[in-house]
Amino acid sequence: MVKTNKLNVFNDPIYGFIGTPNELIFSLISHPYFQRLRRISQMGLSYLVYPGAHHTRFHHALGSMHLMTKAIQVLKLKNVEITEVEEEGLLCAILLHDIGHGPFSHALEGFVAKEISHEQISLKFMMELNEEFNGQLDTAIAIFKGDYPKTFLNQLVSSQLDMDRLDYLKRDSFYSGVTEGNINSERLISMLNVVEGNLVVEEKAIYAVEKFLMARRFMYWQVYLHKTGLVAEQLLVRVMQRARFLLSNGEPLAASESLLFFLKNNGTLTFTADVLKTFAKLDDIDILGALKNWQFHDDFVLSKLCEMLLNRRLLHIKVKKRPITQEKLNEKLEWIIKKHDLSVEEASNFVFNGEISNKAYSKDEAIQILKKNGKISDVLKESDQLSLKALAETVTKYYSCYPKKAV
């Protein structure tokens, strides 16, 4: 691996000092496409629940790369063959794995373009950067896409025990202050191995794997899918939908050029190279700037939604095991229609319901345990934790949102 003369060290509150391993990594981190991640919130609007959760995708990408360097070291010590080209490919792939996230990360997923995920946008960024860097990302792209012949390399980037998850659970737990989500990533990485081309975890780490899966379940229900964060993200989506509706009806709106571009295109555009460059200009600041402007707009729906988000005067939300009856929902709808003289369509921005679901563990991509006798087994079979079996089941909950009487 080529040594760099440029030394750039990041002081990370989780791992301490994170260095840039080579010239290519340094150049990728310095690139405007990657620097944009400093302006993309890692946990969307979760800071409305956990005030410390203001960390960014930039933090997470560097942390994931740091863990990847540790995983590579561990596997090499166990005589797993990883060439210098593959090592650089792994580091680039994990560094860029989230570069395609839009404003507030998952909160507005699908808003910019309906038929494309952030992973697909990340790949488009990688392809664009690969041209700029004269093909130096070929291996990284093959690993990211799962096309590289060594399966375990892709599993280090994308699996149920990848460096992405090992970082975001530990990092999000730290910044939110939710200690139950903290995991022993060092222990898990030290117990990684490769058998027949697949990533496995040595049996000694089974309790660390159990803790990891339980922590992931806890973080989803108590943090990522927290009801207050959920209603805030739903309101943000409705702000964008209302803005798009007003623009389509000839109503002028003040916003950045990049945000207006995607609002006017109705989410159905083809993601060309030019569209990608416009997307690269879009971040949390565009959205917050728009909210601050629109809170004074003449349209009641748009201004009220923006004011709710900016001042954290959110809708009331209930999350239950069964959905709310349509009759109860209609009562709430009729109340706000009469109070503010709204149409049914307008009122539905303030009274709505939906569902959320989560499965903490997928049997389709099982975490494989390497037993002392050399045999491989699914962690669910080896665990004596009865609660772990339930993690493979999809849990669905139903939410309903409606105004507090003061709205």
Side-chain angles (χ1 to χ4, degrees), residues 245-283:
F245 169 79
L246 293 172
L247 281 170
S248 68
N249 283 278
E251 185 76 37
L253 284 178
S256 68
E257 283 185 25
S258 49
L259 179 54
L260 285 174
F261 173 83
F262 289 108
L263 285 171
K264 289 175 180 176
N265 277 283
N266 204 31
T268 55
L269 46 79
T270 304
F271 231 84
T272 62
D274 285 339
V275 171
L276 188 70
K277 285 175 183 172
T278 305
F279 180 83
K281 299 172 186 174
L282 194 64
D283 54 50

Side-chain angles (χ1 to χ4, degrees), residues 7 30 39 55 67 336 340 348:
L7 180 64
S30 303
R39 305 185 299 278
H55 56 303
L67 292 185
I336 196 165
H340 295 289
S348 64

Side-chain angles (χ1 to χ4, degrees), residues 27-225:
S27 298
L28 287 172
I29 292 172
S30 303
H31 197 283
Y33 287 170
F34 190 83
Q35 288 293 314
R36 167 184 165 272
L37 295 182
R38 291 183 185 271
R39 305 185 299 278
I40 302 289
S41 172
Q42 168 76 8
M43 291 174 63
L45 293 166
S46 292
Y47 64 83
L48 293 174
V49 185
Y50 303 102
H54 274 288
H55 56 303
T56 66
R57 288 279 156 185
F58 185 87
H59 292 100
H60 167 57
L62 290 178
S64 299
M65 183 191 72
H66 173 74
L67 292 185
M68 186 65 83
T69 62
K70 299 297 181 187
I72 291 167
Q73 289 170 8
V74 165
L75 293 175
K76 279 186 166 183
L77 284 171
K78 295 178 182 179
N79 298 317
V80 176
E81 186 188 6
I82 301 174
T83 67
E84 286 192 6
V85 171
E86 290 166 348
E87 182 174 341
E88 185 172 79
L90 276 171
L91 294 176
C92 291
I94 198 67
L95 183 72
L96 301 174
H97 78 282
D98 271 346
I99 199 170
H101 265 296
F104 291 102
S105 294
H106 294 285
L108 290 177
E109 183 108 18
F111 152 71
V112 167
K114 294 173 184 174
E115 303 298 325
I116 190 166
S117 66
H118 77 269
E119 290 93 350
Q120 291 169 310
I121 300 175
S122 290
L123 182 58
K124 288 184 177 293
F125 270 123
M126 287 171 141
M127 304 285 275
E128 193 75 16
L129 287 166
N130 197 31
E131 283 193 29
E132 194 173 323
F133 287 91
N134 302 314
Q136 290 184 78
L137 297 181
D138 283 344
T139 305
I141 289 169
I143 291 170
F144 183 79
K145 290 169 67 178
D147 292 342
Y148 200 78
K150 291 184 179 179
T151 304
F152 76 90
L153 297 181
N154 173 257
Q155 290 170 334
L156 284 167
V157 175
S158 179
S159 67
Q160 290 201 93
L161 202 61
D162 56 33
M163 299 307 107
D164 171 29
R165 292 187 187 192
L166 290 184
D167 180 78
Y168 78 63
L169 283 175
K170 196 171 185 69
R171 186 168 301 278
D172 295 350
S173 167
F174 175 86
Y175 279 98
S176 65
V178 179
T179 54
E180 292 88 347
N182 193 15
I183 58 167
N184 192 343
S185 54
E186 294 82 3
R187 172 67 171 167
L188 287 165
I189 289 172
S190 71
M191 291 293 110
L192 290 178
N193 212 326
V194 174
V195 175
E196 295 180 357
N198 287 298
L199 197 66
V200 298
V201 185
E202 292 165 9
E203 189 175 12
K204 288 183 286 185
I206 191 162
Y207 296 118
V209 175
E210 288 175 355
K211 172 70 165 60
F212 162 77
L213 290 173
M214 294 300 291
R216 188 166 184 267
R217 175 182 179 274
F218 186 92
M219 288 292 285
Y220 266 89
W221 286 120
Q222 296 298 321
V223 179
Y224 306 133
L225 295 176

Side-chain angles (χ1 to χ4, degrees), residues 237-252:
V237 169
R238 280 158 176 78
V239 166
M240 294 301 130
Q241 289 172 342
R242 187 64 180 178
R244 190 168 266 167
F245 169 79
L246 293 172
L247 281 170
S248 68
N249 283 278
E251 185 76 37

Side-chain angles (χ1 to χ4, degrees), residues 108 111 234-253 259-260 263-264 266 290-291 294-295 297-306 309 340-350:
L108 290 177
F111 152 71
Q234 287 295 319
L235 290 176
L236 184 59
V237 169
R238 280 158 176 78
V239 166
M240 294 301 130
Q241 289 172 342
R242 187 64 180 178
R244 190 168 266 167
F245 169 79
L246 293 172
L247 281 170
S248 68
N249 283 278
E251 185 76 37
L253 284 178
L259 179 54
L260 285 174
L263 285 171
K264 289 175 180 176
N266 204 31
L291 292 178
W294 299 345
Q295 67 179 319
H297 197 276
D298 291 338
D299 181 73
F300 172 82
V301 174
L302 184 65
S303 61
K304 182 55 97 174
L305 289 172
C306 291
L309 279 169
H340 295 289
D341 191 26
L342 302 175
S343 68
V344 174
E345 288 75 21
E346 289 170 337
S348 64
N349 287 287
F350 303 98

